[in-house]
Amino acid sequence: MNSILIHPIIKNSSTNNENTTDTNEFVGLVKALQDIKVCDLKEIKIKNIISSTFLGQGKIDEIKEICKLKKVKLSLFNCILSPIQQRNLENKLNTKVLDRQGLILEIFGDRAITKEGVLQVELAHLKYQKSRLVRSWTHLERQKGGIGFLGGPGEKQIESDRRQISSKIQQINKKLKKVIKTRNIQRLARVNKNFITISIVGYTNSGKSSLFNKLTKSSVLEKDMLFSTLDTKMKKINYNGNQNIILSDTVGFISNLPLELISAFKATLEEIIFSDIILHVTDISNPNHKAHYENVNKILYDIDEKIVSQ
C-alpha cells in the first residue's frame, strides 16, 4: 500500500510529547509493518494546531496533491490526532489516515502470536475504535492479521455499532480474566518455591532480547527492528547452584504508548510490576537514550498507577 509519512513540527512548542518524537523512529515504526511502501516523507512546520483538521488548509492541499500524484492510499501522521481530526483528514485527503497511536496498535496486531497476545491486542483495538466511532470492527473476523485497520474486506463504515463493540469487549475481558487468574496461580507457585523473578524492560529495540539470550543461552528473536518482541518470554536459570531465577523478556516500550495497550495488556504488564527485580536496559549509543530512559520510567509508573492499583 502506497503511503505518505507526515511529521508535524510545532514552532515554539513548549510541549515535548506527540509532536517532538524522532523522525527516524517514526520511519522505523512504519518499516515494522509489512506491505507498506513509503512514497514520501514530509516534515511540516506549523504554528498552531487546527482543532478540526490538525493542519491548515494550505498544508492539506499540498499533501493531497502528493497523494493524488503518487497514488497514496494511506497517510501516516507522527502525532496524536483526535477522532474528528482523523475523520476530517480522511475526507479531505481521500486516503486512510492513521496517527502514531493507531500505527503502534497496528504493529502490535501484526506481531501478536500467542492466544493471549492476540486477545490483548484485539481488546486494545476495540477500545481505540470505540472512542472514535470512525472505523469498522468487522475486520476482527479475519483469521490472518485480523486486528488492524490495513487490508481486510475493504468496506468502509464510518459508524461502528457501539453495542456490538461493547459486547465484544466484554467477551474478551472474560477470557483475559482467566488468563490473569492463571498467571496469579503461577506467580504464587514461584513465590512458594522461593524463585526470584527478574523482568527485563526498556525502550523498544534497546537490546533486551540480546541480553535475555546471553543470560539464558536461548535463541529468542534478535532483530534491529522496533517491537521485534511482543509476547513475553520467560525462562528459569540457576545462579550459584542454589538460587533459581525466572528471567522474562518483555515487550519494548515507546513514547506515546497508547493507553488502550497499557490497559489491555494488564495480564502481561502485571508480571513486570510484581517482579522482585526490574532490570532496565538502555542503549546509550542512541542519541535519544536519556529521553528513552525517562519514557520507560513514566510508563512503568503508569502501569503501577492505572493497572495494579485498580
Side-chain angles (χ1 to χ4, degrees):
M1 182 183 294
N2 289 352
S3 67
I4 183 172
L5 311 187
I6 312 298
H7 179 73
I9 301 172
I10 300 181
K11 296 179 181 179
N12 302 321
S13 173
S14 59
T15 61
N16 188 29
N17 45 34
E18 66 263 30
N19 299 301
T20 56
T21 50
D22 183 25
T23 307
N24 292 328
E25 180 181 277
F26 180 41
V27 174
L29 282 171
V30 177
K31 287 182 177 179
L33 280 175
Q34 298 179 353
D35 303 323
I36 298 296
K37 179 183 178 182
V38 178
C39 297
D40 206 336
L41 167 63
K42 287 198 69 65
E43 293 187 349
I44 298 180
K45 294 182 179 180
I46 56 178
K47 291 183 179 180
N48 299 298
I49 295 175
I50 307 301
S51 60
S52 60
T53 55
F54 194 85
L55 301 176
Q57 189 60 47
K59 298 295 184 182
I60 292 175
D61 290 340
E62 184 181 339
I63 297 170
K64 184 176 181 179
E65 187 63 29
I66 296 173
C67 292
K68 184 178 179 180
L69 180 66
K70 299 188 176 182
K71 298 180 179 179
V72 168
K73 300 297 182 183
L74 174 66
S75 300
L76 295 163
F77 283 73
N78 192 25
C79 60
I80 299 173
L81 299 173
S82 70
I84 192 65
Q85 288 169 346
Q86 180 182 353
R87 184 174 62 187
N88 288 340
L89 283 169
E90 285 187 335
N91 291 335
K92 288 179 176 292
L93 297 176
N94 294 320
T95 70
K96 289 185 178 180
V97 170
L98 278 184
D99 65 359
R100 181 180 175 86
Q101 290 196 351
L103 176 60
I104 294 172
L105 285 169
E106 187 69 34
I107 295 170
F108 272 63
D110 191 53
R111 296 289 171 80
I113 297 175
T114 65
K115 181 179 179 181
E116 177 185 334
V118 170
L119 283 172
Q120 291 178 127
V121 176
E122 188 175 348
L123 178 61
H125 265 289
L126 283 167
K127 289 182 175 181
Y128 182 76
Q129 292 175 63
K130 185 179 179 181
S131 69
R132 298 191 169 230
L133 294 176
V134 294
R135 293 290 188 181
S136 165
W137 69 281
T138 55
H139 60 275
L140 295 170
E141 302 301 327
R142 299 203 311 262
Q143 292 181 353
K144 176 66 174 72
I147 319 206
F149 297 131
L150 312 181
E155 67 271 15
K156 181 179 180 181
Q157 298 175 340
I158 300 301
E159 292 284 337
S160 294
D161 189 323
R162 182 180 294 271
R163 286 178 299 178
Q164 288 180 306
I165 293 178
S166 296
S167 176
K168 189 71 175 178
I169 289 175
Q170 289 177 1
Q171 293 173 24
I172 297 174
N173 276 328
K174 286 181 181 179
K175 293 177 181 179
L176 286 175
K177 281 182 180 179
K178 294 180 181 179
V179 173
I180 293 172
K181 184 177 180 180
T182 301
R183 282 186 177 271
N184 288 337
I185 293 172
Q186 293 171 342
R187 189 182 300 123
L188 181 60
R190 292 195 294 268
V191 171
N192 291 336
K193 292 181 180 179
N194 294 319
F195 278 51
I196 293 177
T197 56
I198 302 176
S199 289
I200 302 176
V201 304
Y203 208 78
T204 182
N205 204 29
S206 62
K208 299 181 303 300
S209 295
S210 298
L211 179 61
F212 180 85
N213 286 341
K214 188 73 173 178
L215 294 175
T216 64
K217 298 180 180 179
S218 302
S219 56
V220 169
L221 175 65
E222 298 176 32
K223 198 169 184 179
D224 186 17
M225 178 183 289
L226 302 182
F227 298 119
S228 60
T229 299
L230 177 55
D231 293 294
T232 300
K233 307 294 188 301
M234 305 181 75
K235 190 166 183 178
K236 182 177 74 172
I237 59 177
N238 187 272
Y239 177 73
N240 258 359
N242 58 8
Q243 179 61 65
N244 287 320
I245 296 173
I246 297 293
L247 193 68
S248 64
D249 180 26
T250 62
V251 62
F253 297 150
I254 197 167
S255 60
N256 295 317
L257 188 68
L259 293 179
E260 290 85 3
L261 271 178
I262 294 178
S263 176
F265 271 65
K266 174 182 174 71
T268 298
L269 297 176
E270 273 190 348
E271 290 290 342
I272 298 175
I273 298 301
F274 288 126
S275 297
D276 296 300
I277 298 172
I278 297 177
L279 180 57
H280 185 170
V281 177
T282 304
D283 178 12
I284 61 172
S285 67
N286 190 304
N288 295 319
H289 70 272
K290 290 184 178 179
H292 291 177
Y293 177 82
E294 292 172 359
N295 270 310
V296 171
N297 285 339
K298 180 180 182 302
I299 293 170
L300 288 173
Y301 175 81
D302 288 341
I303 294 170
D304 187 47
E305 185 180 55
K306 293 180 173 63
I307 294 179
V308 181
S309 61
Q310 290 178 355

